[in-house]
Amino acid sequence: MLEIFDDSDFPDFGAEIEIAGAADCIVAIYGTTDFQPGPIAELIRRCCQDSLQTAPVGFDWSYGCSRPRRDSFGGGWCAIFADHVEFASTQEELARRLVRSAVTPPMEPPDPWIDYPHYPSADWQTEVANGDTRLGYLDWVLARTEADRSVPPSMEVPSA
């Protein structure tokens, strides 16, 4: 189990781990020094395989400094699956989001007067007439898109 630590000669989570309750297990992980999310995540992944087969678990963390220094505040998140662990820091996520925003121009709002090819307004009108939906056309298109897991309406080329 020492291989989960960065330094197997000095195995340390950099945190206290408290577990309370039997049926409703409540875990608190905290530390004031060298917090090590990697070893904590690997410990959870190795010891909780039965639970992780049912659903993944995760945690987030933050860190700070008593002085206002560049990059001295932040945090991150960790998602633990039965077969792997995923991490990201707040700085990485922010950078990823800013790049995505710069590369992808904002989408224009959909035009309510244009039919979307996969969801013609005649189908919507039929559902309204049958009492199968009370949604407006654009909300109905969005609901259908999500249900079909297809391309969002703002990404489709509507027919004229």
Side-chain angles (χ1 to χ4, degrees), residues 40-143:
I40 291 171
E42 271 304 310
L43 176 71
I44 294 168
R45 190 181 73 76
R46 292 178 184 206
C47 294
C48 301
Q49 277 295 305
D50 289 344
S51 296
L52 294 172
Q53 294 296 329
T54 304
V57 297
F59 61 87
D60 56 354
W61 70 89
S62 66
Y63 61 85
C65 180
S66 61
R67 297 174 189 236
R69 295 186 176 145
R70 183 179 175 186
D71 295 332
S72 62
F73 299 91
W77 60 265
C78 173
I80 306 165
F81 301 87
D83 61 343
H84 72 286
V85 175
E86 296 178 16
F87 290 95
S89 71
T90 52
Q91 290 90 351
E92 291 167 337
E93 289 297 316
L94 177 59
R96 186 176 303 137
R97 179 60 182 100
L98 292 175
V99 167
R100 189 173 69 222
S101 179
V103 172
T104 308
M107 293 181 219
E108 293 189 24
D111 186 342
W113 297 104
I114 296 177
D115 274 15
Y116 289 88
H118 299 297
Y119 310 104
S121 60
D123 292 354
W124 167 74
Q125 290 170 340
T126 301
E127 285 197 20
V128 169
N130 292 338
D132 295 330
T133 187
R134 296 182 71 176
L135 297 172
Y137 175 68
L138 289 178
D139 290 330
W140 178 80
V141 169
L142 256 168

Side-chain angles (χ1 to χ4, degrees), residues 22-44:
D24 295 328
C25 181
I26 299 171
V27 178
I29 305 169
Y30 58 92
T32 58
T33 55
D34 190 25
F35 177 69
Q36 300 291 315
I40 291 171
E42 271 304 310
L43 176 71
I44 294 168

